[in-house]
Amino acid sequence: SCHVELRDTTEVIMNSYIKPSPPLPIEDDSTSIFIQVLDLETKREVNVNTTIIDQDDGALRRIIYFEIDSTIERLTNIKYSLKLIAPSHLQGLQGLQYVMDAITIPPDVQDTTEMTSVMAQQRIRGKFMRSPVVGCSGSRTYGRLGDEGHTFKLLIPLSAVVQANPERGVDVVAGWARGKEAVTLTHSIVFLPSIKVGEGVKDEL
């Protein structure tokens, strides 16, 4: 259901609370199921730039900075392929199903004033496309372990290059389960802009 907050571990799915991602050492992700990010055109894996632990909830998040040309004059986009990966040594994963969920961070304010509506249109957003099953207005996609990657598009408005506005970024997480067991979250992938302000110069926001 689109009304279920996938990141909220007090939510109940299939009679069980959602389980948070496992607390792993930052340098070791070899024992968990994770989201792999590929460049849609080259099919090469996109390296994670850095890893942080959120001070509020203790969750591990992988940060990927994507480059934006500071001279863009219109809405643009960057496309990736996101795939759920399980380390080869993990056993008993037959029948594993998952959902990937993308949200703008920080979340939108839930009101309908004209100013809030305009601000929402000026924020970077993520949308799943051309996958077998896409739901929730493109914010979620569904699959089984072993499926091909899901096309994921970042929609980048002109306002994204305005450094005075830090409220931009997209967080993607997957929740997976086998049969009727509890849903377990992967670590988040957070896409944040890196502004290209000159030849060879970047400004990570």
Side-chain angles (χ1 to χ4, degrees):
S1 170
C2 298
H3 300 292
V4 173
E5 295 291 342
L6 191 61
R7 295 161 183 77
D8 184 355
T9 54
T10 66
E11 290 273 16
V12 175
I13 300 178
M14 295 185 293
N15 299 316
S16 298
Y17 289 110
I18 296 174
K19 296 169 64 175
S21 56
L24 297 173
I26 291 177
E27 67 276 6
D28 180 18
D29 197 28
S30 63
T31 62
S32 66
I33 294 172
F34 64 97
I35 299 172
Q36 182 185 57
V37 182
L38 304 174
D39 182 286
L40 187 62
E41 294 185 359
T42 66
K43 304 302 181 184
R44 293 181 178 176
E45 185 170 2
V46 177
N47 293 323
V48 173
N49 298 96
T50 187
T51 303
I52 63 169
I53 296 180
D54 190 281
Q55 297 301 313
D56 294 326
D57 58 18
L60 196 69
R61 290 180 170 84
R62 310 284 191 191
I63 309 298
I64 291 178
Y65 290 103
F66 58 89
E67 187 175 283
I68 303 175
D69 192 325
S70 60
T71 62
I72 65 170
E73 298 180 350
R74 58 184 176 82
L75 180 72
T76 187
N77 66 78
I78 300 175
K79 294 179 181 178
Y80 298 98
S81 177
L82 306 187
K83 185 175 183 178
L84 196 74
I85 299 293
S88 58
H89 61 81
L90 293 184
Q91 302 296 317
L93 298 181
Q94 294 82 2
L96 186 151
Q97 300 182 54
Y98 62 86
V99 55
M100 290 186 189
D101 180 72
I103 61 171
T104 298
I105 53 173
D108 290 332
V109 177
Q110 297 299 313
D111 67 48
T112 57
T113 64
E114 182 176 351
M115 179 175 293
T116 299
S117 177
V118 171
M119 290 176 62
Q121 295 174 16
Q122 295 176 345
R123 302 179 67 185
I124 293 172
R125 296 193 175 276
K127 185 176 183 179
F128 290 101
M129 304 179 64
R130 298 203 305 262
S131 295
V133 183
V134 174
C136 307
S137 301
S139 66
R140 288 186 179 175
T141 189
Y142 309 84
R144 296 175 179 271
L145 186 63
D147 283 355
E148 294 297 320
H150 302 274
T151 300
F152 182 67
K153 181 167 70 172
L154 289 175
L155 301 169
I156 306 163
L158 178 61
S159 60
V161 301
V162 180
Q163 297 187 36
N165 174 20
E167 291 193 353
R168 53 189 174 277
V170 174
D171 178 292
V172 179
V173 72
W176 60 270
R178 295 164 296 185
K180 296 183 179 180
E181 67 180 11
V183 171
T184 299
L185 299 179
T186 65
H187 300 305
S188 287
I189 298 289
V190 180
F191 296 88
L192 294 175
S194 173
I195 309 301
K196 183 179 180 181
V197 294
E199 188 64 32
V201 179
K202 297 182 183 178
D203 203 1
E204 293 176 355
L205 302 180

